[in-house]
Amino acid sequence: MNSFSLRLIVFFLGVVVFAFCFAAESRIFAQEDTYIQELRGHCEGFIKENNFTQLFDYLDSLAQDHVKPEYIFYQKYYSVKGKSLYLDYLEMNEDWAQFYEQLHVFDNQIIETAEIYVNTYPLNGQVIDLQYLLWRAYLREEGQETTEIAFGKLVDMVIFYTQENNDIAKFKEIVELISREKSGDFLAQMFAEYRDYLENEDTDPSLISQFAGIADSYLDDGNSEVASLIYNQYVEIICKRFSVQDAYLKLKIIADKFRHYGFFSAKDPGLAELIYEKIKGLIGNESLKEEDVLARGYNFECEGNYAKADEEYRAFAENFKENRFLPEIYTRLGIINLYYLGNQEQSLNYFKTVAEKYPDSFYESFCLYRIGLILQWKKEFESADEFYARIKNDDPQIKQLAEKRRDEIKNNLEIAQESLYPLELLYKQNKSPSIILTLKSIPARCLINQQVEWIASAQDYSVGTVQPFFAYQWFGDTGTNTDIGSVTKFTASYASSGPKLVFFSAGNAAGEEVVCGELWVYDIGVISPAQGQIFKVNELVLFEAGLLPLSPEDGIFQWSWKVFLEGEEILSSHARTFNFSFDKQGKYTVEIELKVEDSRISKTIAFEVIE
Amino acid sequence: MKKGFMGIAIFIFCLSLSGCGKGEAKLKEEKHKDVYLRTLENGHYELIVKEKPFVIKGICYAPVPIGKSHLFNFTCDPNKPWMVDGKLMNEMGVNTVRLYQPGDELAACKEMIEDLYKNYGIYTVMGHSLGFWEYHVNELAKKIKEIDPNHPVSLGNGETVGMEFAADICPDVDLLGCIVYRGKVFGSFFKEVKRKFDKPVMITEFGCDAYNAFAQKEDQLNQAKFLKSQWLDLEKHLANGEGLGNCVGGIIFEWNDEWWKTSDCDRDSWLVHDTEASWGVGAYAFDAQAGKNMNEEWFGVVAFSPELENNLNKRMPRKAYYELRELWNKDFWKQDEESSAEKKGN
């Protein structure tokens, strides 16, 4: 055999040996995967069925000796996970006897096992899970220091893992688990540390938008608490990582999600206010838009922070001198100053501003009446009568009240108790410092004929739980409910739009206090077409509606138009305003529906198209 | 809260300890007595029982079965519910029960008190509503001491209402017992007591109901949370704690649900676990939105089941029971583990 043949044989032998070794190693690798896969499959199956006894028996049956470390790791992982989930299961099913019997035993075992692996095993998703389960065990065992240390380590692990994998999935998973614990403080801590990481210029910007995406998903699921915690951090990141203009736009969008609108509960007005403050710092007072100032002012007003609301509304009046919302703002300033800030003279000025500068506005009658009432109370009868006389017939209820007041002046009578008494109580000397009254309507803004609930409370904070007896009275515009009695809540609806003021008093032998509540009622105001208006065939018809009175919160309303000709629907639209021309003559009707949250009202207008 | 004890009703009761020796109870250290109140050097107060500091870990006790009313004399119940409850209480760490009144059968009541003490080491606080006699509180306190000089006499009161007057006219009262429902914590209560009536205080009723009036369903989690928070707050004001040291313990309202409380005149309603609430406390925030949120039939740390066990309504301890056990009998789970280990070994 020549040397070449020998070398060839050796070569082929080498290939065969190599192939054999490779195959053997592949088989071993496949066996490892199979073992872990099988173990996972069994364990996850038992967990899914809440079959914890079988899970523990299965794990106990597995070999512990002469087994690869990664197999042991997974056994221990499922042992820890199983025990923690079993405690959760018992808690969820309120099996307290069993829960408390196992609690400390299992927690000690979880802690003992997890501590080993989180400190020795290379970081992966399962190690993070173990750290999470370890934290929960410490939390249940109420070791404050150990809990804090464990949580800090969990956060570090999650952030590092996110960074290394450039993937937020694990972060999201852990957030979801912690949010189920309703551990707001821990979540806040986690988000704050994650923010530090995202603020870093080197961090991928896509992680920032993913972070906001997590917040949005919680908001969509109705969990505004967690969303709010995330956004609290996100707004800080926006200010650092985006241009002023981009940051401003993003901040507005978030503030709008959380602020008061009045028609439904605000999600987190405190967060909204924090954002308004940031916007102000970002772009300066001069650059604030009308909707920013109005939103902030209304936010303060709904929160009962009337001094701040007053400040915002005055700033609005100062900076937007030609704005269409000024009649409303001055009316609000009048109400706030008269009924909340105890500033009668200032309120008079605001009401007079509406009466003099905006004589045909929606609020004219309301303001004229208040001017008259204040002047009559001050015994300036002649002036009072002049203002009452100016009230037009457009608001029959106010007109009727004004006529009563004029009769009183004419006949030298005192103002009727139900109208004067709330003012006297609001302005009396020696108010009780310990009696706190609250009054609100739910919602704070509504549509006409919508059911509203007025809820009040009275508490004397000086006497603890054994509260003194109170007799309650209601004054003011209580809508359809005119016979209320000594109760702390009632429901009503209102057939006319505009501001409605209600007063709640609570009194006993020691004295009486009063509080004012306001409700703003809205109707559909159809600008075009007018009732009975006539158009020509093919003439462009403007369809436009709005709220009456005006409201800056356009975005939350849904409009719906349906146009009928002889009972047949021929056109529909969801715009607030649009144009259309009709090629057929006839008598048309249009139904306009306004919807906000679950409330809706509608109006029908008839018009004609002729040749 | 028991009917008839709303508002500012005042009553007197004694701390009654079976098997204790004779002696006068005064607010001083008197080593020859079994039960007395002691003022420490730092001005804190302690209740001493058999020469050891004693913190009252109590529970109001009235095991009225489902279908009966407050007129049912449970001390005469041949099924002896206190023997079943006593065991559970003992495991929970209860060392005191409060009875609102002895009932007509004094011998039966005495037997129950003796059973609780001898079998489970549980003491009894015995009370009685004064009604008209509230104007003679100090005279009654003196009279009680003439009859029984061995035990401290306490003035029971709703909150701290009227305490500044009581301080002047009731010098012979040794300690104050107050009913306090202020939510998760007691707020300024201990400070108010210190200011108005500077003597030791025990809270003779505090607690949380297990019904969420807003969600309209049972809510064991919040009940447990509130009771735990209340106890931890109270603990701060025990002797040598971080607070004022004027508290000698507290008595939770109450051991079991009482199904008669919504209407003591309507027999049919005694068979129903009514969810009506007759009063409200905003500080119980989890269901304050309901307005009236104190569901009187749901204050038990133990629920009663219509199912019978040994002729008694089956006792169903709530989460609150176990949370309190964690606080009052910290090592119970170890005893449990040891006994399980022993059983396994056997």
Side-chain angles (χ1 to χ4, degrees), chain A residues 91 94 96-101 103-105 108 141-142 455 459 462-466 489, chain B residues 7-8 158-159 161 181-182 220-221 228 279 281 317-319 322-323 325-326 333 336-337:
Chain A
E91 197 170 13
E94 297 191 343
W96 305 122
Q98 195 62 14
F99 175 81
Y100 283 93
E101 191 178 312
L103 175 65
H104 300 299
V105 173
N108 286 341
E141 295 302 309
E142 296 175 358
I455 301 176
Q459 189 159 9
S462 69
V463 297
T465 318
V466 183
K489 59 181 174 183
Chain B
I8 55 171
E159 273 280 343
V161 177
Y181 292 91
R182 293 194 184 188
Q220 293 193 30
L221 293 181
K228 182 177 174 178
W279 57 302
V281 177
R318 291 193 166 110
K319 183 174 169 74
Y322 295 98
E323 283 291 326
R325 191 179 74 181
E326 294 277 299
W333 70 277
D336 219 31
E337 197 188 305

Side-chain angles (χ1 to χ4, degrees), chain A residues 26-78:
Chain A
S26 297
R27 267 201 309 280
I28 291 168
F29 184 74
Q31 281 169 0
E32 282 177 342
D33 281 352
T34 307
Y35 180 94
I36 292 171
Q37 277 171 30
E38 268 183 31
L39 186 148
R40 266 205 195 124
H42 282 299
C43 292
E44 294 292 345
F46 291 134
I47 287 168
K48 195 174 170 190
E49 300 291 316
N50 294 318
N51 203 332
F52 296 99
T53 311
Q54 270 197 272
L55 170 69
F56 300 140
D57 287 343
Y58 169 71
L59 289 169
D60 285 343
S61 72
L62 295 174
Q64 303 284 311
D65 298 326
H66 309 298
V67 173
K68 290 193 180 299
E70 47 267 53
Y71 295 177
I72 300 290
F73 170 75
Y74 277 95
Q75 289 174 19
K76 297 297 181 189
Y77 169 77
Y78 277 104

